[in-house]
């Protein structure tokens, strides 16, 4: 896990050095303290919130491809940080190594766990242990898909992810390409499954996909429109047009912002607005809650100023 943290930190240092700016100045622009950025760049800690990483990278002038790669590196490092935090400390001897008695207990414990969870497990030719667990024989746990499946990939691992999302009643094309559409669906699936919305298919997401316990079934566009008209009785046509502009009337629509935050659901309610409204991304995926929340925002001034881009688009005369 330390290797992932080191790679992540090295990438951050590369961006920082290329910017030619100091930690304090970068911190002010990215909305983080200079000392925190120094810890991240030195590999002493990994930020729990990707938005900090995204803001830092943007300030440093990172390209779209670099942001994509950085997101994957952060996901790997963050997963390692969580895994290590959950590991209980092992008893050690005077020299810092597990005592002989402790080593014996560990050997027995490992043998018991392997027997109970998956039968006998043999070492491979290179000395590594094959994947274990309920889904060890599935494609996403094969060596080819060992890193998190993420944005920009185009292979059979992505096809498997897409097929599993479709099996969960997710609406997307199966083309083997991890693009924006797949990113939206993966993020929505993670929220619905109660997982961190990292946007990459890590081990926890793979397990959840194979569990088939999370449903992405939701309202059709026609039902969404009907609900909007019933709630926005004062301006039904405009409200439907705003929602169609924002999300194509898709209750599970997710859209990232340039600052690393995201917008959620039918009316694309932002992270900041969710805090104001006492909501969460999961609640924002409920079309009833989302549409009612949007109406509350509209009711403040009886206009659609919370959706400036869509409002402007509606006001722009269409060419004949």
């Amino acid at each position: 896990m330390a290797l992932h943290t080191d790679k992540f930190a090295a990438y951050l240092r590369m961006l920082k050095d290329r910017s030619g700016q100091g930690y304090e100045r970068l911190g002010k622009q990215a909305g983080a303290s200079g000392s925190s950025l120094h810890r991240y760049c030195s590999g002493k800690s990994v930020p729990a919130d990707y938005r900090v990483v995204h803001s830092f990278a943007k300030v440093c002038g990172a390209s779209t491809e670099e942001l994509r790669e950085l997101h994957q590196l952060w996901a790997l490092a963050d997963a390692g940080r969580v895994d290590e935090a959950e590991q209980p400390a092992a008893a050690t001897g005077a020299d810092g190594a597990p005592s002989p008695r402790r080593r014996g207990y560990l050997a027995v414990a490992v043998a018991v766990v392997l027997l109970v969870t998956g039968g006998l497990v043999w070492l491979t030719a290179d000395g590594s242990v094959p994947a274990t667990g309920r889904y060890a024989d599935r494609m996403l746990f094969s060596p080819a898909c060992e890193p998190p499946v993420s944005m920009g990939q185009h292979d059979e691992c992505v096809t498997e992810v897409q097929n599993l999302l479709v099996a969960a009643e997710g609406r997307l094309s199966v083309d083997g390409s991890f693009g924006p559409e797949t990113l939206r669906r993966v993020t929505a699936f993670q929220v619905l499954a109660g997982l961190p919305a990292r946007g990459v298919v890590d081990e926890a997401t793979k397990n959840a996909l194979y569990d088939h316990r999370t449903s992405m079934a939701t309202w059709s566009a026609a039902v969404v429109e009907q609900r909007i008209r019933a709630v926005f009785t004062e301006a039904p046509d405009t409200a439907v047009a705003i929602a169609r502009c924002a999300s194509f009337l898709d209750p599970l629509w997710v859209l990232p912002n340039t600052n690393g935050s995201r917008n959620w659901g039918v009316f694309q309610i932002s992270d900041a607005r969710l805090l104001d409204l006492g909501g969460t991304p999961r609640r924002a995926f409920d079309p009833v809650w989302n549409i009612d929340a949007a109406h509350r925002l509209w009711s403040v001034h009886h206009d659609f100023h919370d959706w400036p881009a869509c409002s402007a688009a509606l006001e722009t005369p269409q060419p004949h």
Side-chain angles (χ1 to χ4, degrees):
M1 296 306 177
L3 177 62
H4 296 314
T5 301
D6 290 344
K7 286 184 176 180
F8 172 67
Y11 208 92
L12 290 179
R13 289 197 300 273
M14 178 274 291
L15 293 173
K16 185 263 180 188
D17 292 342
R18 193 178 66 188
S19 74
Q21 301 184 64
Y23 288 112
E24 292 301 325
R25 185 174 180 181
L26 287 171
K28 289 179 180 178
Q29 297 177 69
S33 69
S35 59
S36 294
L37 294 182
H38 184 267
R39 287 199 307 274
Y40 304 150
C41 290
S42 61
K44 293 180 179 178
S45 64
V46 177
D49 191 341
Y50 176 69
R51 286 177 292 182
V52 176
V53 180
H54 185 93
S55 297
F56 171 78
K58 291 288 285 184
V59 168
C60 292
S63 65
T64 301
E65 186 61 34
E66 287 171 333
L67 288 172
R68 196 174 295 147
E69 185 173 356
L70 183 62
H71 185 232
Q72 182 172 7
L73 290 172
W74 169 82
L76 286 166
D78 184 58
R81 176 182 59 79
V82 173
D83 289 344
E84 289 178 353
E86 293 174 350
Q87 295 288 339
T92 58
D95 59 353
S99 65
R101 187 175 182 181
R102 177 65 176 170
R103 285 198 296 268
Y105 288 154
L106 287 173
V108 172
V110 169
V112 170
V113 170
L114 292 178
L115 286 170
V116 170
T117 59
L120 290 173
V121 175
W122 300 94
L123 292 178
T124 60
D126 62 359
S128 63
V129 179
T132 60
R134 200 184 330 171
Y135 307 116
D137 60 336
R138 306 295 178 89
M139 178 183 293
L140 291 181
F141 287 97
S142 68
C145 305
E146 186 176 341
V149 184
S150 60
M151 186 77 169
Q153 256 179 263
H154 185 92
D155 53 27
E156 60 183 6
C157 302
V158 179
T159 300
E160 178 78 346
V161 169
Q162 292 173 334
N163 281 325
L164 289 167
L165 289 170
V166 170
E169 299 190 65
R171 304 171 191 165
L172 76 161
S173 304
V174 178
D175 58 6
S177 181
F178 199 124
E181 181 186 23
T182 303
L183 176 63
R184 281 193 293 271
R185 294 313 183 203
V186 167
T187 304
F189 177 85
Q190 289 172 327
V191 170
L192 294 171
L195 299 172
R198 294 192 177 107
V200 298
V201 186
D202 52 18
E203 187 163 334
T205 306
K206 293 174 184 179
N207 276 309
L209 284 167
Y210 284 126
D211 273 340
H212 298 293
R213 295 178 181 174
T214 300
S215 174
M216 301 182 73
T218 188
W219 290 5
S220 67
V223 175
V224 170
E225 178 175 347
Q226 184 179 9
R227 174 70 183 188
I228 293 173
R229 292 185 179 280
V231 173
F232 282 86
T233 55
E234 307 90 341
D237 291 339
T238 305
V240 169
I242 291 288
R244 183 175 283 113
C245 165
S247 69
F248 301 97
L249 304 181
D250 183 350
L252 300 183
W253 195 261
V254 183
L255 191 66
N257 298 311
T258 56
N259 64 357
S261 64
R262 285 170 285 200
N263 298 338
W264 309 90
V266 172
F267 276 95
Q268 287 294 276
I269 299 177
S270 67
D271 288 325
R273 278 302 193 192
L274 282 181
L275 288 175
D276 296 339
L277 296 166
T280 63
R282 188 179 185 116
R283 292 192 74 182
F285 282 155
D286 174 3
V288 172
W289 187 91
N290 193 292
I291 295 167
D292 288 349
H295 188 260
R296 276 189 280 159
L297 293 174
W298 176 88
S299 298
V300 175
H301 299 291
H302 287 79
D303 63 25
F304 292 93
H305 73 277
D306 270 272
W307 299 269
C310 288
S311 296
L314 293 178
E315 294 170 3
T316 302
Q318 298 299 313
H320 298 289

